[in-house]
Amino acid sequence: MTLLAVERIKLFTTRSPWWCMVMALVVTVGFAALVAGTSNADDPVTVATTQFGYGFGLVVIMVMAALAVTTEYRFGTIRATFQAVPSRSKALLAKTTVVAVLAGVIGEITAFGSWGIAKLIKGSADLAINSAYEWRVVAGTGLIYALAAVIAVSVGTMIRHSAGAISLVLIYSQLAENLIQIIPNVGPKIHRWLPFNMAQHFLTGRPDAGARGADGPPISEITYSPWVGLLYFGVFALVLLIISLWVVNRRDA
């Protein structure tokens, strides 16, 4: 518990987490307000489309998570941490836990905030959260944000440089996975099993009849259970975390 408290204090005494939290909230809720405000009878707002800003919030969260560890390497405070805590694995796990919990909380606040602002703007729209799909696309955001934070912390630990870590996680999650689809014949098959696509499948797999993804997270066409997607994404995050623990114990701080 002491390690968790220390990591919480270190995280919140820097400005970047606060700026990232505000940006994630403003961007996601702002896009939900825009979608709701521009909807009409022919293109009504739905529970899923209130989550239009999900991807933008995810980007901010991964930046925050990567900075949480790379900033310590940049200013050399990680050395003091490892001197105070001989077990580097415990120190890194404590940091990862704090960042992941914060990311999960932010995810839930932004998701339900987006849904709430849309409901406030379009009171006449059917925005009741009833089905399993609707619950996943809203409440599931926190789980994806938390796991994405674990991935970003792990990458940041291995690379140690803010620019490199942020570039890698953003280029891969936002660009590389989608570009793989253009590889002839095998591209779409490979893409089905890539981690962030699996995370997307958890949120939007097996949609309700008539669900659309044009103004929200793209509808997943994968046929197996969405919970398989969450498990796959979680295992991917765990593997990266284990690798980062091995790396941090093998090299000098």
Side-chain angles (χ1 to χ4, degrees), residues 28-39 44-52 110-130 134-135 138:
T28 53
V29 175
F31 273 118
L34 180 63
V35 169
T38 56
S39 63
V45 63
T46 65
V47 172
T49 59
T50 64
Q51 304 305 307
F52 178 83
T110 57
F112 280 98
S114 298
W115 170 78
I117 195 69
K119 193 173 180 64
L120 183 64
I121 293 173
K122 286 289 182 179
S124 59
D126 181 14
L127 292 176
I129 303 177
N130 297 315
E134 290 171 336
W135 275 109
V138 178

Side-chain angles (χ1 to χ4, degrees), residues 60-246:
V60 176
I61 291 302
M62 288 193 293
V63 169
M64 180 194 74
L67 287 174
V69 63
T70 58
T71 300
E72 285 215 57
Y73 279 105
R74 177 185 177 187
F75 293 104
T77 56
I78 195 71
R79 297 188 183 91
T81 298
F82 289 157
Q83 287 175 352
V85 184
S87 175
R88 294 186 177 186
S89 295
K90 288 183 179 180
L92 182 57
L93 287 173
K95 181 181 293 294
T96 304
T97 300
V98 170
V99 174
V101 170
L102 177 61
V105 171
I106 295 172
E108 295 302 319
I109 292 174
T110 57
F112 280 98
S114 298
W115 170 78
I117 195 69
K119 193 173 180 64
L120 183 64
I121 293 173
K122 286 289 182 179
S124 59
D126 181 14
L127 292 176
I129 303 177
N130 297 315
S131 66
Y133 166 71
E134 290 171 336
W135 275 109
R136 272 189 288 107
V137 80
V138 178
T141 299
L143 294 174
I144 298 304
Y145 277 22
L147 292 173
V150 173
I151 292 171
V153 169
S154 301
V155 172
T157 301
M158 290 184 281
I159 294 181
R160 299 193 288 187
H161 298 286
S162 297
I166 292 171
S167 298
L168 181 58
V169 295
L170 295 190
I171 289 174
Y172 176 79
S173 63
Q174 303 301 310
L175 183 62
E177 282 201 1
N178 291 324
L179 288 178
I180 287 176
Q181 295 183 85
I182 68 176
I183 300 175
N185 301 322
V186 298
K189 295 179 181 179
I190 295 173
H191 181 258
R192 287 169 61 92
W193 294 99
L194 296 179
F196 284 90
N197 184 54
M198 296 294 278
Q200 186 69 49
H201 174 59
F202 167 67
L203 294 176
T204 63
R206 294 187 180 176
D208 298 334
R212 55 186 172 80
D215 296 324
I219 299 297
S220 175
E221 299 179 353
I222 302 174
T223 56
Y224 44 74
S225 171
W227 294 97
V228 173
L230 179 64
L231 178 61
Y232 189 99
F233 193 57
V235 170
F236 178 77
L238 178 61
V239 169
L240 281 186
L241 179 59
I242 292 172
I243 294 173
S244 69
L245 290 172
W246 181 81

